[in-house]
Amino acid sequence: MNSIPFLSLKDVTALHGAEINEAVTRVVNSGWYLQGEENKRFEENYAKFIGSKYCIGCANGLDALIWIFRAYIEMGVMLPGDEVIVPANTYIATILSITENGLKPILVEPKLNTLEIDDDLIETAITPRTKAVAIVHLYGRNAYTDKIGELCKKYNLKLIEDNAQAHGCKHTDGRTTGSIGDAAGHSFYPGKNLGALGDGGAVTTNDSELAAAVRALANYGSQKKYVFKYTGRNSRLDEIQAAVLDVKLKYLVEDNAHRKEVANYYYDHINNPLVALPDRLPDEQNAYHLFPILVANGKRDALHDYLEQNGVGTVIHYPIPPHKQECYKTWNNISLPITEKIADEELSLPIGPNITIEEVVIIVNLINEF
């Protein structure tokens, strides 16, 4: 019987285990555990990797997005009640960051062939209260289009990127996601392409005023010890996580290249009439955080169970879309058919830096026999 986990974090960590252990030990022995040299080094290296002037480490990816919107409110760019256009099929964190700040999410459907926000539907969703478009590079796929950029320019809207799943993904012009919009939130949750050994996140931006506001907000609202400009919160990246992330950042391009190899095998060899794959993007435009397939005729759960019985782990991202969640019950009766179809049919196959092509061959053969 095969045993192919969806993602073994223990094995992922073991890939660079000696260096990670050395980094952790270095921090432990230094006696300095918050806001020190490790954070500074990682922030500099990650900003360089993304192609942004500023990087501010924070506690997690949700906080990163919360601080971006909160900073814009503090700067007077947005007011509570203003609208933010956001893909309806995102993970709920993107939407939580908007409502947390008293802003109003305007849900826009994705395209079924890309699984990303439909740029043909954005303009009709814009009103005089619209202040921003939040795009989500979901599954690791580049969600930005030149049309989105043009609309933001035309209507003077901020472009916020949720880059939680797309570390190392690029746009057609070579810019890395996380440096395309006005600001971007990143998550370093352990299962991400660049994952910490716990929670972690960051904001990247070229806007010095926004960067200073985010850094203060995430540090109790303080820019100077015991002086508080804002009513902030405590949301900091700790030194151990920063040190671990800095080790893993060195291998991110290499790890992503392996994910692309796996994805290309899936694209070239999956052949089952029940299974549809999203449009194949050029390699650099997909960091392949996940490999989503859509399973027709109500057979998604059956395929999930069949693969599990054959020792293959898969995960459903995300079975209940945000507008159907109890926490947003005023939206429960909205009809978003494409978002709902994706929620009913999506299944993510194993993909990661340590899966072997031999294992991928087994997975593909099982799918083709289903």
Side-chain angles (χ1 to χ4, degrees), residues 1 5 33 91 115 133 136 202 208 218 231 274 318-319 340:
M1 166 98 163
Y33 308 126
Y91 180 59
L115 308 180
V133 176
V136 183
S208 59
T231 52
L274 290 169
Y318 303 92
E340 288 158 28

Side-chain angles (χ1 to χ4, degrees), residues 61-70 73 78-88 90-108 117 129 131-136 158 160-162 322 328 331:
L62 171 58
D63 277 8
L65 292 167
I66 287 172
W67 301 135
I68 291 169
F69 290 115
R70 174 71 189 282
I73 289 171
M78 296 178 194
L79 291 168
D82 283 342
E83 294 169 357
V84 178
I85 289 169
V86 64
T90 183
Y91 180 59
I92 201 163
T94 324
I95 293 169
L96 289 171
S97 71
I98 297 166
T99 57
E100 170 85 7
N101 281 294
L103 299 164
K104 188 180 174 191
I106 303 298
L107 306 180
V108 169
I117 193 166
R129 293 295 318 249
K131 289 292 160 68
V133 176
I135 57 171
V136 183
K158 294 295 182 191
I160 315 297
E161 295 175 82
D162 180 338
Y328 291 122
W331 298 341

Side-chain angles (χ1 to χ4, degrees), residues 217-263:
L217 284 163
N219 186 33
Y220 299 98
S222 168
Q223 283 171 317
K224 191 175 148 201
K225 200 164 186 183
Y226 302 131
V227 180
F228 302 94
K229 184 172 180 178
Y230 311 110
T231 52
R233 286 225 312 259
N234 175 11
S235 171
R236 299 177 298 205
L237 186 65
D238 72 68
E239 288 285 280
I240 285 179
Q241 302 306 344
V244 169
L245 288 165
D246 205 52
V247 169
K248 292 177 83 174
L249 180 59
K250 292 189 294 192
Y251 301 100
L252 180 56
V253 171
E254 188 185 310
D255 289 349
N256 282 354
H258 180 70
R259 289 174 183 269
K260 286 164 193 184
E261 229 175 283
V262 172

